[in-house]
Structures are given as C-alpha cells and as structure tokens.
Amino acid sequence: MSFSSSAPVASLAAREQGSFLTRVYAHLILAVLLFVGLEVFFFRSGIANTVLQLFSGVSWLVVLGGFMLLSWVATLIAVPSVARPLQYLGFFLYVLLQALITIPLLAAAEGAAPGVIASAAQVTIGGFLLLTAVVVTTGKDFSFLRSFLIWGGLFGLAVIICAVVFKFDPGTWFSVAMIVLACGSVLYTTSNIMRGFPANADVAASIQLFAGIAMMFWYVLRLFMQRR
C-alpha cells in the first residue's frame, strides 16, 4: 500500500517518530482487544452458531472471495487521504471481518482440542514480539521481502482454491508455509512502518500489522489442531 501524504516517519525528529509508533501500537492493541471481545460476544450471544450455519451452506470460495473483497475495501478507506472517521470505519470493519471469518476455526478448535486456542494465542503474541524486536534492534530494511510476500500470497490463495475445488486437505506443511509467510509479513510491515509511512498513517499501519498477526494466529492454531 502506498500513500501520497507527508514525509515518511524516518525523516522526522525522534519525538515525532516516537509519537507515531505509539499511536500505531496503541491502535494495534485496540484491534487485538476488539477482536477478542467480538469473538467472546459472538460465542456467548449465539451469533457464532448463526454464522456457522451460514458458512456451512456456502462454498468456501464464495466466503474467501467476499472476505478478500471487503477486506480490500476496509483497508482502502483506512488510508490517511480519507477523513479520520472513515479511517476508523475501515479499522473496525477489518477487525469485524477477521472475527467473523475466524469463528468456524475457533469452534472446530474448541470442539476438537480444548485449550489449544490459548496456546496458539500465546505463540502468536510471542512470535510477533520477537519479530518486532528483530526489526527494532537490527534496524534492517526488510523491503526485499515484498516479492516473496506477493508470490507467497498468490501461491497460498491458489492452494486454498485447489483444496476447495478438489476437496483435499493442504496438510501440515501448508500451515507451516503460511506461518512463515505471516512472519515475513510482520517483518516487512514493521520495517516499512518505521521507514516509509507518513506520520498520519497510524491507522493504516495498525491494520497492516493486525492482518499479519491474524494470519499468523490462524495458521498456528490450524497447525496445533493438526498435531493434536
């Protein structure tokens, strides 16, 4: 995602850089808490059961396509070129979509391997903190991962489509590959945030980080379920 706005954060004074990063990670924490709160609400209110029934009668290709389309719209309206209220609308919409699409996986995990959700969450948070520390301490520019992420994402999408069409399980190694892709996304996004984002792109930056975390959690949980 590119932005046509103010100068990148890397060119600003240290205090302004710190202020930007504080806002980014505050929004990220808010996104994670909102995601958890939505999942708790969905399952306790019975909405999750309705979502499960809807998903059971719809092809995963349709669900995946619709989710990708709406996610694109959500991230599009979160860029700093639009009004601040619309940025937050995109922020909330993206977290809501992630929460809805994760319901079937959470329901399956809780039914097949109780306790595995908490384990996957701990590993995801630990992995994210470790990857963030790598970027911060090394100061390395991970922009070279962009091509890897693009082609890796297309490959993952192709495998998912084939799995749905030909009705096969991609298996453990696919989960591992997608976890690696998610780790690469966190490295690339964190590096990009510290170098190429303008100071008013804190909402968009938090959405991109949250997307990497959500993807990592999804496939870590899937991997744990396969091992059980």
Side-chain angles (χ1 to χ4, degrees), residues 105 109 112-113 116 169-176 179 218-228:
L105 182 65
V116 75
D169 185 350
T172 300
W173 287 109
F174 177 71
S175 295
V176 173
I179 293 171
W218 176 287
Y219 286 102
V220 167
L221 180 55
R222 189 172 183 273
L223 179 63
F224 282 8
M225 289 173 61
Q226 291 170 327
R227 293 181 60 187
R228 291 287 182 91

PDB file of all heavy atoms in Angstrom, residues 105 109 112-113 116 169-176 179 218-228:
ATOM      1  N   LEU A 105     -13.102 -21.704  12.602  1.00  0.00           N
ATOM      2  CA  LEU A 105     -11.853 -22.302  13.075  1.00  0.00           C
ATOM      3  C   LEU A 105     -11.837 -22.389  14.591  1.00  0.00           C
ATOM      4  O   LEU A 105     -11.425 -23.419  15.166  1.00  0.00           O
ATOM      5  CB  LEU A 105     -10.664 -21.482  12.585  1.00  0.00           C
ATOM      6  CG  LEU A 105      -9.280 -22.024  12.966  1.00  0.00           C
ATOM      7  CD1 LEU A 105      -9.031 -23.376  12.301  1.00  0.00           C
ATOM      8  CD2 LEU A 105      -8.189 -21.034  12.569  1.00  0.00           C
ATOM      9  N   ALA A 109     -11.672 -25.783  16.776  1.00  0.00           N
ATOM     10  CA  ALA A 109     -10.562 -25.972  17.709  1.00  0.00           C
ATOM     11  C   ALA A 109     -11.069 -26.277  19.107  1.00  0.00           C
ATOM     12  O   ALA A 109     -10.540 -27.164  19.795  1.00  0.00           O
ATOM     13  CB  ALA A 109      -9.689 -24.721  17.728  1.00  0.00           C
ATOM     14  N   ALA A 112     -12.462 -29.883  19.119  1.00  0.00           N
ATOM     15  CA  ALA A 112     -11.518 -30.985  18.899  1.00  0.00           C
ATOM     16  C   ALA A 112     -10.362 -30.995  19.889  1.00  0.00           C
ATOM     17  O   ALA A 112      -9.853 -32.062  20.244  1.00  0.00           O
ATOM     18  CB  ALA A 112     -10.962 -30.901  17.474  1.00  0.00           C
ATOM     19  N   ALA A 113      -9.924 -29.829  20.329  1.00  0.00           N
ATOM     20  CA  ALA A 113      -8.743 -29.759  21.200  1.00  0.00           C
ATOM     21  C   ALA A 113      -8.881 -28.588  22.163  1.00  0.00           C
ATOM     22  O   ALA A 113      -8.287 -27.528  21.951  1.00  0.00           O
ATOM     23  CB  ALA A 113      -7.480 -29.613  20.359  1.00  0.00           C
ATOM     24  N   VAL A 116      -6.345 -25.400  23.107  1.00  0.00           N
ATOM     25  CA  VAL A 116      -5.373 -25.130  22.046  1.00  0.00           C
ATOM     26  C   VAL A 116      -5.451 -23.674  21.567  1.00  0.00           C
ATOM     27  O   VAL A 116      -4.459 -23.128  21.077  1.00  0.00           O
ATOM     28  CB  VAL A 116      -5.589 -26.096  20.861  1.00  0.00           C
ATOM     29  CG1 VAL A 116      -6.814 -25.706  20.054  1.00  0.00           C
ATOM     30  CG2 VAL A 116      -4.368 -26.133  19.972  1.00  0.00           C
ATOM     31  N   ASP A 169      -7.143 -31.810   1.867  1.00  0.00           N
ATOM     32  CA  ASP A 169      -6.560 -31.040   2.967  1.00  0.00           C
ATOM     33  C   ASP A 169      -5.132 -30.652   2.596  1.00  0.00           C
ATOM     34  O   ASP A 169      -4.316 -31.535   2.321  1.00  0.00           O
ATOM     35  CB  ASP A 169      -6.563 -31.882   4.246  1.00  0.00           C
ATOM     36  CG  ASP A 169      -6.090 -31.089   5.462  1.00  0.00           C
ATOM     37  OD1 ASP A 169      -5.590 -29.971   5.293  1.00  0.00           O
ATOM     38  OD2 ASP A 169      -6.222 -31.606   6.596  1.00  0.00           O
ATOM     39  N   PRO A 170      -4.794 -29.361   2.571  1.00  0.00           N
ATOM     40  CA  PRO A 170      -3.432 -28.958   2.211  1.00  0.00           C
ATOM     41  C   PRO A 170      -2.356 -29.537   3.125  1.00  0.00           C
ATOM     42  O   PRO A 170      -1.199 -29.659   2.723  1.00  0.00           O
ATOM     43  CB  PRO A 170      -3.479 -27.430   2.331  1.00  0.00           C
ATOM     44  CG  PRO A 170      -4.914 -27.084   2.149  1.00  0.00           C
ATOM     45  CD  PRO A 170      -5.674 -28.215   2.778  1.00  0.00           C
ATOM     46  N   GLY A 171      -2.741 -29.894   4.351  1.00  0.00           N
ATOM     47  CA  GLY A 171      -1.797 -30.578   5.222  1.00  0.00           C
ATOM     48  C   GLY A 171      -0.965 -29.673   6.107  1.00  0.00           C
ATOM     49  O   GLY A 171      -1.044 -28.436   6.057  1.00  0.00           O
ATOM     50  N   THR A 172      -0.125 -30.314   6.916  1.00  0.00           N
ATOM     51  CA  THR A 172       0.678 -29.615   7.915  1.00  0.00           C
ATOM     52  C   THR A 172       1.678 -28.659   7.294  1.00  0.00           C
ATOM     53  O   THR A 172       1.872 -27.533   7.763  1.00  0.00           O
ATOM     54  CB  THR A 172       1.418 -30.642   8.795  1.00  0.00           C
ATOM     55  OG1 THR A 172       0.465 -31.485   9.447  1.00  0.00           O
ATOM     56  CG2 THR A 172       2.281 -29.937   9.832  1.00  0.00           C
ATOM     57  N   TRP A 173       2.335 -29.090   6.220  1.00  0.00           N
ATOM     58  CA  TRP A 173       3.382 -28.260   5.634  1.00  0.00           C
ATOM     59  C   TRP A 173       2.831 -26.972   5.052  1.00  0.00           C
ATOM     60  O   TRP A 173       3.535 -25.959   5.004  1.00  0.00           O
ATOM     61  CB  TRP A 173       4.157 -29.054   4.580  1.00  0.00           C
ATOM     62  CG  TRP A 173       5.058 -30.078   5.189  1.00  0.00           C
ATOM     63  CD1 TRP A 173       4.910 -31.423   5.163  1.00  0.00           C
ATOM     64  CD2 TRP A 173       6.241 -29.818   5.957  1.00  0.00           C
ATOM     65  NE1 TRP A 173       5.923 -32.036   5.858  1.00  0.00           N
ATOM     66  CE2 TRP A 173       6.753 -31.076   6.361  1.00  0.00           C
ATOM     67  CE3 TRP A 173       6.910 -28.661   6.348  1.00  0.00           C
ATOM     68  CZ2 TRP A 173       7.908 -31.193   7.134  1.00  0.00           C
ATOM     69  CZ3 TRP A 173       8.055 -28.773   7.117  1.00  0.00           C
ATOM     70  CH2 TRP A 173       8.546 -30.030   7.496  1.00  0.00           C
ATOM     71  N   PHE A 174       1.585 -27.000   4.614  1.00  0.00           N
ATOM     72  CA  PHE A 174       0.967 -25.773   4.118  1.00  0.00           C
ATOM     73  C   PHE A 174       0.787 -24.780   5.263  1.00  0.00           C
ATOM     74  O   PHE A 174       1.043 -23.578   5.101  1.00  0.00           O
ATOM     75  CB  PHE A 174      -0.381 -26.075   3.466  1.00  0.00           C
ATOM     76  CG  PHE A 174      -1.107 -24.839   2.987  1.00  0.00           C
ATOM     77  CD1 PHE A 174      -0.662 -24.132   1.887  1.00  0.00           C
ATOM     78  CD2 PHE A 174      -2.229 -24.385   3.659  1.00  0.00           C
ATOM     79  CE1 PHE A 174      -1.318 -22.991   1.449  1.00  0.00           C
ATOM     80  CE2 PHE A 174      -2.897 -23.251   3.232  1.00  0.00           C
ATOM     81  CZ  PHE A 174      -2.443 -22.558   2.131  1.00  0.00           C
ATOM     82  N   SER A 175       0.359 -25.279   6.422  1.00  0.00           N
ATOM     83  CA  SER A 175       0.217 -24.411   7.599  1.00  0.00           C
ATOM     84  C   SER A 175       1.554 -23.804   7.981  1.00  0.00           C
ATOM     85  O   SER A 175       1.648 -22.607   8.299  1.00  0.00           O
ATOM     86  CB  SER A 175      -0.366 -25.200   8.776  1.00  0.00           C
ATOM     87  OG  SER A 175      -1.680 -25.629   8.499  1.00  0.00           O
ATOM     88  N   VAL A 176       2.603 -24.623   7.954  1.00  0.00           N
ATOM     89  CA  VAL A 176       3.946 -24.136   8.281  1.00  0.00           C
ATOM     90  C   VAL A 176       4.365 -23.046   7.289  1.00  0.00           C
ATOM     91  O   VAL A 176       4.909 -22.001   7.681  1.00  0.00           O
ATOM     92  CB  VAL A 176       4.965 -25.289   8.272  1.00  0.00           C
ATOM     93  CG1 VAL A 176       6.389 -24.755   8.432  1.00  0.00           C
ATOM     94  CG2 VAL A 176       4.642 -26.291   9.383  1.00  0.00           C
ATOM     95  N   ILE A 179       2.579 -19.852   8.005  1.00  0.00           N
ATOM     96  CA  ILE A 179       3.127 -19.202   9.202  1.00  0.00           C
ATOM     97  C   ILE A 179       4.390 -18.437   8.839  1.00  0.00           C
ATOM     98  O   ILE A 179       4.607 -17.304   9.291  1.00  0.00           O
ATOM     99  CB  ILE A 179       3.402 -20.238  10.306  1.00  0.00           C
ATOM    100  CG1 ILE A 179       2.085 -20.826  10.825  1.00  0.00           C
ATOM    101  CG2 ILE A 179       4.186 -19.606  11.462  1.00  0.00           C
ATOM    102  CD1 ILE A 179       2.268 -22.001  11.767  1.00  0.00           C
ATOM    103  N   TRP A 218      -4.156 -17.651  12.832  1.00  0.00           N
ATOM    104  CA  TRP A 218      -4.999 -18.612  12.103  1.00  0.00           C
ATOM    105  C   TRP A 218      -4.233 -19.899  11.820  1.00  0.00           C
ATOM    106  O   TRP A 218      -4.714 -20.998  12.103  1.00  0.00           O
ATOM    107  CB  TRP A 218      -5.485 -17.962  10.802  1.00  0.00           C
ATOM    108  CG  TRP A 218      -6.283 -18.878   9.911  1.00  0.00           C
ATOM    109  CD1 TRP A 218      -5.799 -19.912   9.169  1.00  0.00           C
ATOM    110  CD2 TRP A 218      -7.696 -18.860   9.687  1.00  0.00           C
ATOM    111  NE1 TRP A 218      -6.804 -20.525   8.475  1.00  0.00           N
ATOM    112  CE2 TRP A 218      -7.979 -19.912   8.778  1.00  0.00           C
ATOM    113  CE3 TRP A 218      -8.723 -18.047  10.145  1.00  0.00           C
ATOM    114  CZ2 TRP A 218      -9.274 -20.158   8.340  1.00  0.00           C
ATOM    115  CZ3 TRP A 218     -10.013 -18.297   9.699  1.00  0.00           C
ATOM    116  CH2 TRP A 218     -10.281 -19.346   8.812  1.00  0.00           C
ATOM    117  N   TYR A 219      -3.043 -19.772  11.270  1.00  0.00           N
ATOM    118  CA  TYR A 219      -2.307 -20.959  10.843  1.00  0.00           C
ATOM    119  C   TYR A 219      -1.537 -21.633  11.985  1.00  0.00           C
ATOM    120  O   TYR A 219      -1.294 -22.850  11.931  1.00  0.00           O
ATOM    121  CB  TYR A 219      -1.385 -20.623   9.669  1.00  0.00           C
ATOM    122  CG  TYR A 219      -2.179 -20.446   8.397  1.00  0.00           C
ATOM    123  CD1 TYR A 219      -2.473 -19.178   7.900  1.00  0.00           C
ATOM    124  CD2 TYR A 219      -2.689 -21.545   7.705  1.00  0.00           C
ATOM    125  CE1 TYR A 219      -3.230 -19.013   6.753  1.00  0.00           C
ATOM    126  CE2 TYR A 219      -3.450 -21.391   6.573  1.00  0.00           C
ATOM    127  CZ  TYR A 219      -3.722 -20.125   6.098  1.00  0.00           C
ATOM    128  OH  TYR A 219      -4.488 -19.973   4.967  1.00  0.00           O
ATOM    129  N   VAL A 220      -1.177 -20.885  13.024  1.00  0.00           N
ATOM    130  CA  VAL A 220      -0.614 -21.532  14.214  1.00  0.00           C
ATOM    131  C   VAL A 220      -1.681 -22.400  14.867  1.00  0.00           C
ATOM    132  O   VAL A 220      -1.414 -23.546  15.257  1.00  0.00           O
ATOM    133  CB  VAL A 220      -0.082 -20.479  15.212  1.00  0.00           C
ATOM    134  CG1 VAL A 220       0.215 -21.122  16.570  1.00  0.00           C
ATOM    135  CG2 VAL A 220       1.178 -19.826  14.677  1.00  0.00           C
ATOM    136  N   LEU A 221      -2.886 -21.866  14.977  1.00  0.00           N
ATOM    137  CA  LEU A 221      -3.988 -22.638  15.553  1.00  0.00           C
ATOM    138  C   LEU A 221      -4.295 -23.858  14.698  1.00  0.00           C
ATOM    139  O   LEU A 221      -4.499 -24.970  15.223  1.00  0.00           O
ATOM    140  CB  LEU A 221      -5.228 -21.753  15.676  1.00  0.00           C
ATOM    141  CG  LEU A 221      -6.485 -22.412  16.261  1.00  0.00           C
ATOM    142  CD1 LEU A 221      -6.196 -23.024  17.618  1.00  0.00           C
ATOM    143  CD2 LEU A 221      -7.622 -21.383  16.356  1.00  0.00           C
ATOM    144  N   ARG A 222      -4.318 -23.681  13.416  1.00  0.00           N
ATOM    145  CA  ARG A 222      -4.573 -24.803  12.495  1.00  0.00           C
ATOM    146  C   ARG A 222      -3.481 -25.870  12.630  1.00  0.00           C
ATOM    147  O   ARG A 222      -3.767 -27.075  12.638  1.00  0.00           O
ATOM    148  CB  ARG A 222      -4.633 -24.290  11.052  1.00  0.00           C
ATOM    149  CG  ARG A 222      -5.104 -25.310  10.028  1.00  0.00           C
ATOM    150  CD  ARG A 222      -5.303 -24.654   8.676  1.00  0.00           C
ATOM    151  NE  ARG A 222      -5.824 -25.603   7.711  1.00  0.00           N
ATOM    152  CZ  ARG A 222      -5.084 -26.401   6.976  1.00  0.00           C
ATOM    153  NH1 ARG A 222      -3.763 -26.375   7.085  1.00  0.00           N
ATOM    154  NH2 ARG A 222      -5.636 -27.244   6.127  1.00  0.00           N
ATOM    155  N   LEU A 223      -2.230 -25.442  12.766  1.00  0.00           N
ATOM    156  CA  LEU A 223      -1.124 -26.383  12.927  1.00  0.00           C
ATOM    157  C   LEU A 223      -1.239 -27.152  14.233  1.00  0.00           C
ATOM    158  O   LEU A 223      -1.046 -28.378  14.263  1.00  0.00           O
ATOM    159  CB  LEU A 223       0.198 -25.617  12.895  1.00  0.00           C
ATOM    160  CG  LEU A 223       1.482 -26.453  13.086  1.00  0.00           C
ATOM    161  CD1 LEU A 223       1.640 -27.450  11.940  1.00  0.00           C
ATOM    162  CD2 LEU A 223       2.701 -25.534  13.161  1.00  0.00           C
ATOM    163  N   PHE A 224      -1.590 -26.463  15.315  1.00  0.00           N
ATOM    164  CA  PHE A 224      -1.753 -27.130  16.608  1.00  0.00           C
ATOM    165  C   PHE A 224      -2.873 -28.154  16.551  1.00  0.00           C
ATOM    166  O   PHE A 224      -2.783 -29.226  17.147  1.00  0.00           O
ATOM    167  CB  PHE A 224      -2.030 -26.100  17.693  1.00  0.00           C
ATOM    168  CG  PHE A 224      -0.801 -25.356  18.154  1.00  0.00           C
ATOM    169  CD1 PHE A 224       0.411 -25.496  17.513  1.00  0.00           C
ATOM    170  CD2 PHE A 224      -0.856 -24.508  19.249  1.00  0.00           C
ATOM    171  CE1 PHE A 224       1.542 -24.824  17.918  1.00  0.00           C
ATOM    172  CE2 PHE A 224       0.256 -23.820  19.687  1.00  0.00           C
ATOM    173  CZ  PHE A 224       1.466 -23.983  19.017  1.00  0.00           C
ATOM    174  N   MET A 225      -3.950 -27.804  15.851  1.00  0.00           N
ATOM    175  CA  MET A 225      -5.083 -28.745  15.722  1.00  0.00           C
ATOM    176  C   MET A 225      -4.658 -29.979  14.940  1.00  0.00           C
ATOM    177  O   MET A 225      -5.042 -31.113  15.286  1.00  0.00           O
ATOM    178  CB  MET A 225      -6.239 -28.056  15.021  1.00  0.00           C
ATOM    179  CG  MET A 225      -6.942 -26.999  15.840  1.00  0.00           C
ATOM    180  SD  MET A 225      -8.177 -26.099  14.870  1.00  0.00           S
ATOM    181  CE  MET A 225      -9.293 -27.450  14.418  1.00  0.00           C
ATOM    182  N   GLN A 226      -3.879 -29.797  13.906  1.00  0.00           N
ATOM    183  CA  GLN A 226      -3.409 -30.934  13.102  1.00  0.00           C
ATOM    184  C   GLN A 226      -2.493 -31.844  13.914  1.00  0.00           C
ATOM    185  O   GLN A 226      -2.529 -33.063  13.786  1.00  0.00           O
ATOM    186  CB  GLN A 226      -2.692 -30.422  11.858  1.00  0.00           C
ATOM    187  CG  GLN A 226      -3.613 -29.761  10.850  1.00  0.00           C
ATOM    188  CD  GLN A 226      -2.857 -29.041   9.737  1.00  0.00           C
ATOM    189  OE1 GLN A 226      -1.766 -28.509   9.954  1.00  0.00           O
ATOM    190  NE2 GLN A 226      -3.435 -29.002   8.540  1.00  0.00           N
ATOM    191  N   ARG A 227      -1.680 -31.250  14.773  1.00  0.00           N
ATOM    192  CA  ARG A 227      -0.775 -32.043  15.610  1.00  0.00           C
ATOM    193  C   ARG A 227      -1.537 -32.822  16.673  1.00  0.00           C
ATOM    194  O   ARG A 227      -1.128 -33.907  17.074  1.00  0.00           O
ATOM    195  CB  ARG A 227       0.253 -31.131  16.272  1.00  0.00           C
ATOM    196  CG  ARG A 227       1.237 -30.495  15.299  1.00  0.00           C
ATOM    197  CD  ARG A 227       2.241 -29.636  16.009  1.00  0.00           C
ATOM    198  NE  ARG A 227       3.010 -30.398  16.972  1.00  0.00           N
ATOM    199  CZ  ARG A 227       3.873 -29.846  17.827  1.00  0.00           C
ATOM    200  NH1 ARG A 227       4.040 -28.528  17.833  1.00  0.00           N
ATOM    201  NH2 ARG A 227       4.553 -30.605  18.652  1.00  0.00           N
ATOM    202  N   ARG A 228      -2.674 -32.256  17.144  1.00  0.00           N
ATOM    203  CA  ARG A 228      -3.484 -32.951  18.148  1.00  0.00           C
ATOM    204  C   ARG A 228      -4.186 -34.163  17.508  1.00  0.00           C
ATOM    205  O   ARG A 228      -4.627 -35.041  18.169  1.00  0.00           O
ATOM    206  CB  ARG A 228      -4.512 -32.005  18.742  1.00  0.00           C
ATOM    207  CG  ARG A 228      -3.902 -30.894  19.610  1.00  0.00           C
ATOM    208  CD  ARG A 228      -3.417 -31.456  20.949  1.00  0.00           C
ATOM    209  NE  ARG A 228      -2.885 -30.379  21.786  1.00  0.00           N
ATOM    210  CZ  ARG A 228      -3.611 -29.691  22.661  1.00  0.00           C
ATOM    211  NH1 ARG A 228      -4.907 -29.938  22.816  1.00  0.00           N
ATOM    212  NH2 ARG A 228      -3.070 -28.747  23.390  1.00  0.00           N
TER     213      ARG A 228
END
